[in-house]
Each structure stands twice: as C-alpha cells, then as structure tokens.
C-alpha cells in the first residue's frame, strides 16, 4: 500500500478491507477497534483473490496484479470474464487525467462474461448465461434519477465498475481487465443470443454512450445527425444511426478513415481541418455527438447545426478552450449539452436492438499482455475501431 498524508487518499488507495474499515470509525473506544479488527478478519476470509492487470501510478505501465473481490451476496452474480473492451476512459483513468484515480487501478468497463454462480435471490440469471457489465455496478436505487432508470445520474453518485468504493462493503471496485467479477444482479445485462461475444463488449460503453443521446434527442428517420471523431464511440454512433435510418455526417481529422466511415454508416464525411468542407455542412444537423477526447474548438461545429439543434459533448470533460461563443446559440436557439453513458434499462434496450439488427463493434482482439502498446495506439487514433482483450490470455 502506498502511503499518503491524506487519510482519505490512503483509504482509497488501499485494496485492503482493514484500511476501508478505518474510514468507517474514529476509534474513540477500544471496543470499536476490536469490532473493526473482527470485521477485518471476517472480511479477509470472505473475499475472492483475483488476478488482473493494474497500474500503480499515472506513469506506470499496466502489469499483472492480484486483488480481493467480495464474496458473493444473495443478489450477486459471479462472472467469468471472457472479453473486455478498451475504452479511452480507461486511459484517462489509468493516467489520472481526471484527477480522481485511486491506485492500484484495474480498468475495464466493457465486460462480457459467462455466469459461473448466482446468489440465492437471483432469478434473472443462471449459470452458463452470457452477460455484460458496463460502467456502473451500483447506485443508491432510491433518488429521483435512479427511480427514472437513470442510474448514471444517481444523486448520491453511482458506483463505477472501477475506481469507486462499494456502497455496501466499502471495498474498492476493480474493473474488467481481470479473470472474474462479482456484480449485483440489477447491474448485469443480458447479451442477446447470436451476437459475437468479443464484438459485443464495446456495446457496454461505446454503444450505450452514443445510443443514449440518439434516444434522448428523439432521433428518427427524418433526422440528420453529426458525429465528431471516428474512434470507439464515433464508429458505434455511425452504426447505430445507420440502423435507425438516420442521415449521418462524420467530422474527422483523419483522411485515411474516409473509406471506413462510409462502410460504417456515414452518408457524408467532412474533414474538420478543411474550412471549405465545413462550410458545405452549414445549418444541416439536428444533433451532433462530439466524441473528441481532449480539449478542442467546439465553436467550429455550431454553424453546422440547424436552428434548434444540439451539440452533445460525450468525450471531453473540462473547460472549453477556446471558450464557447454564445452568440450563435442565442441567435438560432441552439444548445450545447453533455451526456453520460446510459441507464441500465436503456443499456438493455440498446443490447436488444443490437441483437435484433446484428450490430457489434469493429474490433481488434488483443492479448492482455499487449495492453500498454494498445493504449499508445489509441492515443495515436490508430485502432479500427476498438481493442478488445481476450481474457483467456491472462492465464498464459
Ligand atoms: P477514441 O477511440 O480514442 O476516439 C476518439 C476520436 O476522437 C479519435 O479517434 C479521433 O477521431 C478524435 N480525436 C482524438 N483526439 C482529438 C483531438 N485532439 N482533436 C480532434 N479530434 C480528436 O476514444 P473513445 O473510446 O471513442 O472515447 C472518446 C471520449 O469519450 C474519451 O474522452 C472517453 O473518455 C469519453 N467517454 C465518455 C463517455 C460518456 O459517458 N460520456 C463514455 C465513454 C467514453 P478522428 O481521427 O476521426 O478525428
Ligand atoms: Zn468507456
């Protein structure tokens, strides 16, 4: 365990349940300390030791790492992980781009696996089922957002698949670059029969993150939708939009992606670095899904919105630079919005839709041992269009 002067950081950095128990108590009484130690001992004997890949600092490579997961509760599903997609968020998290990383950090939130056991209260899943786990493994379940099935906006904060603290056992959560995961049945998704399992993994994040704005802004056959950036999220937006019969326009910096973009579902392709091409798209789009991962000039895309149109940021978190000019928004009632993944019911809806229309991600399957090289390729926009880890490689 790495030491820190900040007790909260110390707690979060430690995978050990003893440290977590310290957070719960001020140890003002010896009996409390005894209870804590008893609890710690009990927890120690009631955890599962799991092999995964973790990073221990923003600059470390990912490497093999053993950690503890909770022993399953009555409403838990235990999943043998078969595949895990590699999202750009994994890189942001591993490298602490969002200043919230707790180490050791095991990334991975595009998880496909096979159920190996279920708790006594689980009725929706059985041993052998193919299931998915996305970016969340829990939420408060009683706030207004959760009641609307929008667990991603849980007012108490949803529990993420990795880099969170479990709300019941207070143990750190670790992601899908690992052999097994234990998840409450409410946050486990059914994978429709017939979908390629490796290709379905990215649906759990890239798929739902682009599906949710398409649904929220009520996109239909007569809509015109733009996508900024052809990466993991961007290519799923094109595929989903195409299946919905939407006219899709891709904005890309990469001329070498033009041919693929047509195949993936783009009706129009605009090189965002070419002002003339940008002008041809003026006033066209009802919705733009902007998937760019880093700070960029959002003002460039506002003229391509039709009156009343919305540009929804899903990629970049932070201050915009250059700043957003409000004049074109005011003059044509345009909006700039944001969107985070999607709720559990909405994720199942998207998976069922993909099952019905045979939609999966375009993937490059890799071994876990190649994960660090894969991160470098993603940073160069050199992936077509999602890496998926074959988790069987963990045992080799
Ligand atoms: P990705 O595969 O790396 O794709 C991002 C694409 O954006 C690149 O392929 C590139 O496309 C374009 N791009 C990258 N850097 C750029 C820059 N500096 N300027 C302009 N364009 C740039 O990443 P991803 O996995 O799709 O994720 C995209 C972002 O969404 C990440 O920041 C991730 O953390 C975030 N994310 C958000 C949510 C959410 O719920 N809101 C969920 C998942 C991921 P071209 O080569 O075509 O230009
Ligand atoms: Zn993701």
């Amino acid at each position: 365990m790495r030491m820190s002067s900040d007790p909260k950081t110390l707690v979060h950095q430690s995978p050990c349940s003893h440290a977590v128990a310290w957070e719960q108590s001020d140890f003002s009484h010896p009996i409390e300390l005894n209870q804590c130690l008893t609890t710690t001992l009990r927890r120690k004997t009631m955890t599962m030791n799991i092999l995964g890949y973790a990073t221990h600092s923003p600059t470390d490579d990912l490497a093999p790492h053993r950690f503890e997961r909770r022993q399953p509760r009555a409403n838990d599903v235990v999943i043998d992980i078969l595949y895990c997609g590699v999202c750009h968020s994994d890189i942001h998290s591993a490298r602490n781009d969002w200043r919230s990383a707790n180490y050791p950090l095991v990334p991975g939130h595009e998880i496909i696996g096979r159920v190996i056991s279920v708790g006594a209260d689980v009725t929706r899943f059985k041993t052998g089922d193919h299931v998915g786990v996305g970016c969340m493994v829990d939420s408060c379940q009683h706030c207004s957002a959760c009641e609307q099935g929008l667990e991603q906006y849980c007012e108490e904060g949803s529990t993420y698949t990795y880099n969170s603290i479990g709300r019941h056992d207070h143990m750190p959560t670790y992601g899908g670059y690992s052999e097994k995961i234990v998840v409450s049945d409410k946050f486990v998704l059914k994978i429709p029969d017939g979908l390629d399992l490796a290709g379905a993994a990215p649906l759990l994040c890239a798929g739902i993150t682009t599906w949710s704005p398409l649904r929220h802004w009520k996109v239909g056959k007569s809509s015109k939708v733009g996508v900024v950036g052809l990466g993991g999220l961007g290519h799923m937006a094109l595929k989903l939009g195409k299946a919905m019969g939407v006219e899709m326009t891709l904005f890309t910096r990469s001329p070498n992606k033009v041919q693929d973009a047509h195949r993936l579902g783009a009706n129009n392709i605009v090189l965002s670095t070419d002002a003339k091409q940008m002008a041809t798209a003026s006033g066209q789009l009802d919705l733009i899904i902007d998937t760019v991962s880093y700070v960029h000039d959002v003002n460039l895309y506002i003229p391509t919105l039709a009156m009343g149109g919305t540009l929804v940021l899903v990629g970049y978190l932070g201050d915009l630079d250059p700043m957003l000019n409000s004049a074109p928004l005011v003059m044509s009632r345009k909006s700039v919005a944001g969107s985070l993944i999607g709720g559990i019911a909405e994720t199942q809806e998207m998976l069922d839709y993909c099952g019905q229309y045979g939609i999966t991600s375009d993937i490059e399957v890799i071994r876990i041992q190649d994960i660090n090289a894969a991160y470098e390729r993603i940073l160069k926009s050199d992936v077509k269009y999602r890496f998926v880890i074959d988790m069987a490689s963990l045992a080799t």
Side-chain angles (χ1 to χ4, degrees):
M1 181 175 66
R2 295 180 334 138
M3 297 307 286
S4 158
S5 53
D6 173 2
K8 240 193 155 95
T9 314
L10 172 87
V11 163
H12 286 190
Q13 281 174 345
S14 168
C16 141
S17 49
H18 183 93
V20 171
W22 275 76
E23 187 188 39
Q24 307 309 306
S25 170
D26 61 5
F27 298 104
S28 52
H29 195 280
I31 291 175
E32 206 174 342
L33 176 61
N34 264 342
Q35 279 169 347
C36 163
L37 292 175
T38 312
T39 309
T40 300
L41 285 172
R42 196 169 61 234
R43 280 190 188 146
K44 278 222 159 120
T45 55
M46 293 184 68
T47 55
M48 300 166 67
N49 189 260
I50 301 287
L51 177 62
Y53 258 55
T55 179
H56 293 259
S57 87
T59 50
D60 279 356
D61 275 351
L62 287 140
H65 172 69
R66 286 209 160 268
F67 61 92
E68 303 298 316
R69 290 202 191 276
R70 68 168 179 266
Q71 200 65 19
R73 298 188 286 254
N75 64 346
D76 274 339
V77 178
V78 184
I79 301 163
D80 212 352
I81 300 176
L82 301 174
Y83 297 102
C84 186
V86 181
C87 179
H88 204 118
S89 302
D90 296 347
I91 304 178
H92 288 311
S93 303
R95 303 196 173 175
N96 201 17
D97 290 348
W98 294 325
R99 303 272 167 254
S100 59
N102 303 300
Y103 298 101
L105 188 146
V106 178
H109 57 207
E110 294 184 339
I111 298 169
I112 294 279
R114 190 187 299 110
V115 175
I116 52 171
S117 66
V118 296
D121 296 347
V122 175
T123 54
R124 289 173 54 235
F125 301 100
K126 60 179 188 322
T127 303
D129 285 354
H130 286 135
V131 293
V133 179
C135 302
M136 296 178 287
V137 288
D138 207 355
S139 69
C140 83
Q141 305 283 309
H142 54 72
C143 72
S144 147
C146 286
E147 277 175 5
Q148 293 174 68
L150 299 170
E151 298 88 352
Q152 74 275 32
Y153 304 121
C154 173
E155 288 165 17
E156 294 183 11
S158 53
T159 308
Y160 294 114
T161 304
Y162 61 83
N163 199 37
S164 274
I165 297 292
R167 45 202 337 123
H168 299 290
D169 52 30
H170 309 289
M171 289 174 73
T173 61
Y174 297 110
Y177 298 5
S178 60
E179 50 189 352
K180 289 181 183 55
I181 191 163
V182 181
V183 182
S184 151
D185 60 346
K186 281 196 175 143
F187 286 79
V188 177
L189 287 310
K190 291 176 195 246
I191 302 302
D193 289 340
L195 278 187
D196 173 66
L197 292 177
L203 302 179
L204 277 309
C205 176
I208 183 57
T209 302
T210 48
W211 174 264
S212 186
L214 290 170
R215 298 286 287 154
H216 179 76
W217 276 276
K218 301 191 176 14
V219 159
K221 281 192 168 43
S222 60
S223 311
K224 294 183 177 181
V225 172
V227 174
V228 187
L230 188 56
L233 267 55
H235 95 291
M236 284 313 309
L238 290 184
K239 287 189 175 211
L240 293 169
K242 180 186 181 183
M244 291 175 175
V246 173
E247 183 178 323
M248 300 295 291
T249 296
L250 173 74
F251 298 98
T252 178
R253 309 163 301 170
S254 308
N256 62 334
K257 294 184 183 173
V258 168
Q259 216 171 346
D260 279 348
H262 279 302
R263 176 180 56 78
L264 293 164
N267 303 85
N268 316 301
I269 297 159
V270 177
L271 271 183
S272 51
T273 48
D274 181 329
K276 272 196 194 141
Q277 289 196 29
M278 288 297 284
T280 61
S282 179
Q284 302 283 311
L285 304 168
D286 304 301
L287 178 72
I288 298 175
I289 302 176
D290 182 337
T291 75
V292 174
S293 319
Y294 297 95
V295 68
H296 59 290
D297 188 0
V298 171
N299 297 296
L300 259 184
Y301 303 96
I302 304 297
T304 69
L305 287 171
M307 185 187 68
T310 301
L311 181 145
V312 57
L313 290 160
V314 296
Y316 171 68
L317 304 179
D319 293 335
L320 293 175
D321 184 16
M323 283 191 283
L324 192 60
N325 179 355
S326 68
L329 306 180
V330 172
M331 300 310 282
S332 303
R333 200 164 64 189
K334 295 175 180 174
S335 315
V336 172
S339 183
L340 180 69
I341 43 173
I344 293 298
E346 195 178 30
T347 306
Q348 190 63 61
E349 174 193 69
M350 176 273 311
L351 287 168
D352 293 345
Y353 185 89
C354 289
Q356 194 179 343
Y357 291 94
I359 300 169
T360 52
S361 177
D362 277 28
I363 59 166
E364 291 187 43
V365 177
I366 58 167
R367 292 160 46 80
I368 186 77
Q369 292 80 0
D370 297 328
I371 188 64
N372 297 302
Y375 276 17
E376 294 312 315
R377 281 188 53 197
I378 292 172
L379 290 169
K380 289 187 212 139
S381 295
D382 174 26
V383 49
K384 294 191 169 179
Y385 279 89
R386 198 60 139 188
F387 289 117
V388 171
I389 307 163
D390 179 351
M391 213 46 72
S393 59
L394 196 54
T396 61

